[in-house]
Amino acid sequence: MSTTTSTPPPAARSRRSTLRGRPELYTDYAADQAMLNTRAKRWSVILLILVMLAVPFFVSRDMQGLLTLVFIYAIGGIGMNLVTGFAGQVSLGHAFFLGLGAYTGAYFGGTPTASVQGLELEMWIWLPMAGIVPMLVGLAVAPLAARVRGLYLAILTLGLVFIGEHIWKEARSFTGGPGIGRRGAEPVIGGFNLYQRHTIFGIDFARETFFYIACLVLLVVLAIAARNLARSRMGRAFAAVRDRDIAAEIMGVPLMRTKVLAFGISSFYAGIAGGLLTVALGQVTGENWNLLLSVDFLAIILIGGIATISGSIIGAAFIILLPRGVERLADHVPFVGTAASPGLLSVFQLQLVLFGALIIAVLIFEPRGIYGLWLRIRNYWKAWPFSY
Amino acid sequence: MDILFATLFRGLGTGSTYALLAVGFVVVYKATDVVNFAHPALMILGTYTTSWFVFNAGFPFWVAVPTAMIVMGLVAALCERVALRPMVGEQPFAAAMVTIGLFIVLFPLAFRLIGTNVITVGDPWGLERFTMFGVRLFQVDLAKIIISLVAIAALALFLKRSRFGLAMRATALDQEVALSQGVNVGRVFGMSWAIAGGFAALAGVLVGTGGGGVEAITALVALKALPVIILGGLDSIEGTIYGGLIIGVAESLTRTYQPAFFPWMGANFDVVVPYLIMVLVLMIRPYGFFGTKEVQRV
């Protein structure tokens, strides 16, 4: 597996010209491990990004806000997947790091009021800070977490969420205190507020549009970074630790360093997501960062697909858009409550029940999640009309 | 001195409830290697069921409690059969995720059934007090201690003396060997969940006693059993008693003395004390004080 250090033979460089028409023939490791290693992937990703960039001009403001949430949750989901999916360290403490990122961002980028502090810095300062501070805390907590394995770790990180909730209640000058909360950071770059209505060249941009695009760009950048990490030396170390940590250690993978790094990077992603989330939500309170948020992220990676970046994004889209779908459905299904009649279950309760049922069903029937479903479909059509 | 004694007694009362909750986790973990994150939901549904039997069906309290325990035992066994049985042989992580899924399914049901109400279980103690060594104490704490210890002792006796208990211990030791010796491992799994469900219901009743009443969100109290099992060891029933009492007393002492001596730690600090203890224990002894150390093989 030391192929990354060797230089590819010259013939491989001209692969594209000599082997045109045989896109799946790889003559070297680098080409096989390339991020977009087939033409179909290359084109579909470019097309998808272009479509997503065009979408805000065709959908309602409400929908733009919802898709922005999808991007933010996807960033957090990628972080969760790095530590839980790739490195195999089950963390229920993701909500804590999101909260930490949120309040760091709000402190550096928020407007000070009588009750809360804020430095009113610009987004290019507060957003990295919202990632770096949770990362440092994650790095500090991780050596403790690296001592325990598996379910013990899940229980330990669950404790982190409860301790965090207490801190959010008590650190009033940062968080605004319980029940009141505070406003998030202002997404201002060079005096230009991304979360405001603008008219540029006579085109009217809605309040959500620029923030939507900013989150999309961030998601693409962070997703590429994570994908790159996953196929690097570090990513292989993560996988080795996940599959058998003692075996990995015997093979020379530094166990402690790998686990600590996985936590640190994951917390960075969580912090960025938390910081962006405060902007999208407006007002945040300490109760936002509870255990159910951690469970949401767990659901994202389980339903989307463990140890895949695209799975995290699919999962986030699924988790965020499912409630809207359920709401639409509620008018047509008899036993679901609406504003008019309480029914058997309210819409919110039905969503949760569906979440839970989906997690169970995915784990039982398709452990690789929606991404695994897609793999099956793709492989079926690749081999079509043969069944294998 | 009186305050200290009353505080300790209250701590032992809540602590024995935690022990009872922790036993549910331990029974499932020993038999199936799964940490059952659905336990809080089972507990709150147990409280609701008891409340329903007392106030809607008109059962006396002492009939309603065993009935609710049986009902919740059946519910838990059903959950195991539907959701956990297909996961046999999978990683413990995946099975634990399934129980989180179960929690998300059952918890909204509790919210639907209880709504925004505060439910009580119609217990005979309420806020009655009695005097021991010249100190006025709550009857309900005494009841909690007695009921929990009797229930845990009964379970221990069942595991030690009965034929089925032997089968359960054999399964806990090694599933495949137990299977080859003719133990119906599937039934053991179902039974362990049923016991956990029954104990969850009983713990739910104890949480709901004492005049205060219970909301749907009180379910999260059951997560205090996690520090208890970390302290006592994931696979030790004996450990849950010590762990539960230590956590309960620590919490109670904090609630009484922390506002006076350490006000800077903030309000309701006692809520996080169990988790802080848990973090400490994990640093010193990751496998608890009574648990068996996990053997790692390559």
Side-chain angles (χ1 to χ4, degrees):
Chain A
M1 282 290 194
S2 62
T3 332
T4 40
T5 49
S6 70
T7 47
R13 295 203 181 280
S14 57
R15 178 183 61 91
R16 206 173 279 177
S17 56
T18 53
L19 297 170
R20 186 173 289 279
R22 300 182 66 185
E24 296 214 17
L25 179 72
Y26 303 114
T27 48
D28 63 322
Y29 184 69
D32 185 46
Q33 287 294 305
M35 217 177 304
L36 301 168
N37 54 4
T38 64
R39 214 174 303 161
K41 275 187 201 168
R42 218 160 14 234
W43 284 111
S44 58
V45 167
I46 291 171
L47 197 68
L48 187 66
I49 293 174
L50 287 179
V51 166
M52 290 321 283
L53 276 174
V55 154
F57 302 100
F58 298 98
V59 299
S60 66
R61 289 178 49 194
D62 173 53
M63 197 65 199
Q64 286 177 39
L66 212 59
L67 287 171
T68 311
L69 273 186
V70 169
F71 300 147
I72 296 170
Y73 269 67
I75 294 172
I78 291 171
M80 181 79 174
N81 223 338
L82 281 175
V83 73
T84 301
F86 285 98
Q89 308 299 308
V90 186
S91 168
L92 287 174
H94 217 56
F96 169 76
F97 292 109
L98 260 106
L100 194 58
Y103 290 126
T104 311
Y107 172 69
F108 282 104
T111 327
T113 64
S115 55
V116 293
Q117 300 179 9
L119 298 181
E120 285 189 286
L121 294 170
E122 293 210 331
M123 191 174 178
W124 54 268
I125 298 176
W126 71 250
L127 191 65
M129 286 313 284
I132 289 167
V133 171
M135 183 172 80
L136 292 178
V137 173
L139 288 175
V141 174
L144 171 63
R147 273 175 62 91
V148 289
R149 299 167 59 221
L151 294 172
Y152 283 91
L153 181 63
I155 296 171
L156 175 73
T157 47
L158 185 135
L160 207 56
V161 175
F162 284 103
I163 294 169
E165 269 191 271
H166 182 73
I167 297 174
W168 309 146
K169 267 185 207 146
E170 290 307 318
R172 280 162 206 268
S173 57
F174 291 100
T175 67
I180 309 156
R182 67 171 294 165
R183 287 197 58 74
E186 295 294 331
V188 184
I189 295 178
F192 184 85
N193 193 332
L194 295 173
Y195 209 55
Q196 247 171 25
R197 199 170 159 188
H198 291 283
T199 309
I200 298 166
F201 303 128
I203 307 167
D204 203 18
F205 290 96
R207 187 159 168 260
E208 284 82 3
T209 307
F210 279 105
F211 191 58
Y212 170 99
I213 292 170
C215 287
L216 176 62
V217 170
L218 272 170
L219 171 63
V220 171
V221 170
L222 289 172
I224 290 173
R227 181 77 176 78
N228 240 335
L229 181 88
R231 68 200 183 102
S232 70
R233 181 191 172 86
M234 187 50 70
R236 287 192 298 275
F238 282 1
V241 168
R242 171 192 62 202
D243 292 341
R244 217 11 148 197
D245 51 356
I246 304 175
E249 198 174 17
I250 289 166
M251 287 193 304
V253 175
L255 208 51
M256 181 64 109
R257 203 173 75 193
T258 310
K259 286 181 178 178
V260 168
L261 260 171
F263 261 100
I265 296 166
S266 157
S267 307
F268 178 82
Y269 277 77
I272 296 278
L276 293 173
L277 202 56
T278 54
V279 179
L281 294 179
Q283 188 89 3
V284 286
T285 65
E287 288 86 43
N288 281 79
W289 323 105
N290 61 11
L291 189 59
L292 285 180
L293 187 69
S294 283
V295 172
D296 269 353
F297 279 100
L298 209 56
I300 285 175
I301 66 166
L302 286 173
I303 293 177
I306 287 273
T308 56
I309 300 299
S310 37
S312 320
I313 300 170
I314 300 169
F318 194 83
I319 294 285
I320 297 293
L321 299 178
L322 178 78
R324 196 50 66 94
V326 174
E327 256 169 56
R328 290 273 163 78
L329 220 67
D331 300 333
H332 308 290
V333 182
F335 57 85
V336 177
T338 51
S341 69
L344 198 65
L345 281 173
S346 74
V347 172
F348 177 69
Q349 288 159 350
L350 180 71
Q351 276 166 31
L352 277 178
V353 171
L354 271 181
F355 260 21
L358 265 171
I359 293 178
I360 297 172
V362 162
L363 281 164
I364 293 176
F365 299 114
E366 180 54 274
R368 283 183 302 176
I370 299 177
Y371 184 78
L373 221 57
W374 154 245
L375 276 188
R376 268 202 228 175
I377 296 169
R378 193 186 71 185
N379 289 346
Y380 175 82
W381 286 108
K382 250 182 174 174
W384 194 83
F386 304 106
S387 58
Y388 51 85
Chain B
M1 199 59 204
D2 283 6
I3 296 176
L4 178 66
F5 190 63
T7 304
L8 287 177
F9 196 71
R10 188 185 59 200
L12 292 176
T14 36
S16 54
T17 315
Y18 294 161
L20 202 58
L21 283 164
V23 164
F25 280 93
V26 169
V27 167
V28 168
Y29 182 79
K30 268 173 90 89
T32 63
D33 274 341
V34 174
V35 172
N36 177 12
F37 286 104
H39 212 70
L42 291 174
M43 184 199 87
I44 200 69
L45 288 174
T47 319
Y48 173 79
T49 321
T50 317
S51 173
W52 191 87
F53 277 125
V54 169
F55 293 110
N56 293 40
F59 285 22
F61 178 71
W62 292 109
V63 181
V65 171
T67 322
M69 284 174 72
I70 292 170
V71 170
M72 287 320 295
L74 290 175
V75 169
L78 183 75
C79 290
E80 192 276 336
R81 188 69 194 83
V82 173
L84 268 296
R85 197 65 66 81
M87 301 303 290
V88 168
E90 301 279 337
Q91 290 177 8
F93 156 67
M97 295 303 112
V98 170
T99 65
I100 290 186
L102 268 179
F103 172 73
I104 310 177
V105 172
L106 295 175
F107 198 42
L109 290 182
F111 262 97
R112 174 69 186 90
L113 293 170
I114 298 171
T116 50
N117 304 327
V118 173
I119 56 168
T120 51
V121 290
D123 58 292
W125 307 293
L127 292 168
E128 302 281 317
R129 290 169 185 245
F130 71 105
T131 311
M132 190 164 75
F133 307 128
V135 187
R136 304 273 293 152
L137 302 168
F138 284 103
Q139 278 185 12
V140 64
D141 286 323
L142 186 66
K144 279 178 182 173
I145 295 171
I146 293 173
I147 293 177
S148 304
L149 293 186
V150 166
I152 295 172
L155 177 70
L157 208 66
F158 171 75
L159 289 179
K160 203 146 207 164
R161 292 293 164 83
S162 74
R163 204 176 153 73
F164 201 82
L166 184 66
M168 287 186 81
R169 280 185 292 144
T171 312
L173 212 58
D174 193 318
Q175 290 174 9
E176 282 172 17
V177 172
L179 197 62
S180 70
Q181 298 294 320
V183 173
N184 187 339
V185 172
R187 199 186 292 161
V188 168
F189 284 4
M191 190 66 189
S192 65
W193 270 75
I195 291 173
F199 271 63
L202 187 59
V205 171
L206 293 187
V207 168
T209 53
V214 161
E215 296 167 273
I217 198 73
T218 313
L220 295 182
V221 165
L223 292 175
K224 296 250 175 76
L226 293 172
V228 173
I229 54 176
I230 291 295
L231 196 62
L234 260 179
D235 55 356
S236 165
I237 287 179
E238 190 197 353
T240 60
I241 299 176
Y242 298 109
L245 295 183
I246 290 171
I247 296 281
V249 168
E251 202 184 43
S252 182
L253 284 174
T254 318
R255 196 186 309 165
T256 307
Y257 292 108
Q258 175 260 330
F261 291 105
F262 306 101
W264 53 271
M265 282 171 170
N268 290 327
F269 185 71
D270 52 298
V271 179
V272 284
V273 162
Y275 299 103
L276 287 176
I277 294 177
M278 177 177 83
V279 172
L280 268 175
V281 172
L282 281 172
M283 278 199 288
I284 304 161
R285 271 186 79 107
Y287 299 100
F289 288 98
F290 295 90
T292 35
K293 197 170 186 305
E294 197 177 333
V295 179
Q296 300 180 4
R297 292 194 199 92
V298 179

